[in-house]
Amino acid sequence: MGRILVALAAIALVFFFWSEAAAYPRTAARLPNLLGWIVLILALAAIAQTLLAWRREKAAGTLVLIPPFAWRDIAVGAGFAGLIVLYAWSINHVGYLVATPLFLLIPLAVLRPIGWTATVLTTLVVTGFIWAVFVYFLNLSIPLYPAV
C-alpha cells in the first residue's frame, strides 16, 4: 500500500511541477516537462507492479493489504518530506550553493546508505549538475548565495 501512496504523491508532484512550468519560457519548461513524464511513467509502473504482486499474493492466499506499521519508516518518510519543504523554502534565504549541498548531506549522513566518500562525491556531482542545467544551460537566475 505504501508504494502506491508514494507513486500517487509522485504523480501529484508531477502535475504541480507541470503547472509551475507552464509559466516558464518554452526552453526552460522542457526539462521539468520531460522529467515529469519520466516520473509519471515510473509511478504508473510502480502501481502496476504492486497490483500484479497483490494479484499473485491473493491467488496464493498470502495477501496482506495493510501490514503492521513500521514507525521508523514513517518517521524517516516524514523527515524527508519535511526536508524537501525546508529546502524549497531555504533556497531564497541561504542560496542554492548553500542549501543544496546541505540538504543532500543531511539525509545521506543520517541514513548512511553509502559511505562518506560516496556521500561527498554525490553531493558535489548533483550540486554541480543541477547548477549547470539551470544556471549555465537554461540561463535561469536563481539565488546562488545567501540573501543580504
Side-chain angles (χ1 to χ4, degrees), residues 72 75-77 80 83 105-114 119:
R72 181 185 181 281
V76 167
F80 192 68
L83 274 176
L105 285 173
I106 290 171
L108 291 174
V110 171
L111 299 175
R112 297 192 185 177
I114 54 178
T119 295

Side-chain angles (χ1 to χ4, degrees), residues 25-119:
R26 188 172 177 223
T27 304
R30 285 185 185 160
L31 182 64
N33 288 334
L34 175 64
L35 292 175
W37 278 109
I38 292 168
V39 171
L40 181 68
I41 290 167
L42 291 173
L44 292 173
I47 291 171
Q49 183 183 29
T50 301
L51 294 175
L52 289 172
W54 284 355
R55 188 173 178 193
R56 284 190 298 266
E57 290 172 8
K58 184 177 179 184
T62 61
L63 179 62
V64 177
L65 287 179
I66 302 176
F69 284 111
W71 292 107
R72 181 185 181 281
D73 295 344
I74 292 170
V76 167
F80 192 68
L83 274 176
I84 292 170
V85 171
L86 187 59
Y87 171 67
W89 174 83
S90 70
I91 288 176
N92 287 329
H93 300 284
V94 298
Y96 170 79
L97 292 176
V98 174
T100 300
L102 186 65
F103 286 95
L104 285 169
L105 285 173
I106 290 171
L108 291 174
V110 171
L111 299 175
R112 297 192 185 177
I114 54 178
W116 283 107
T117 303
T119 295

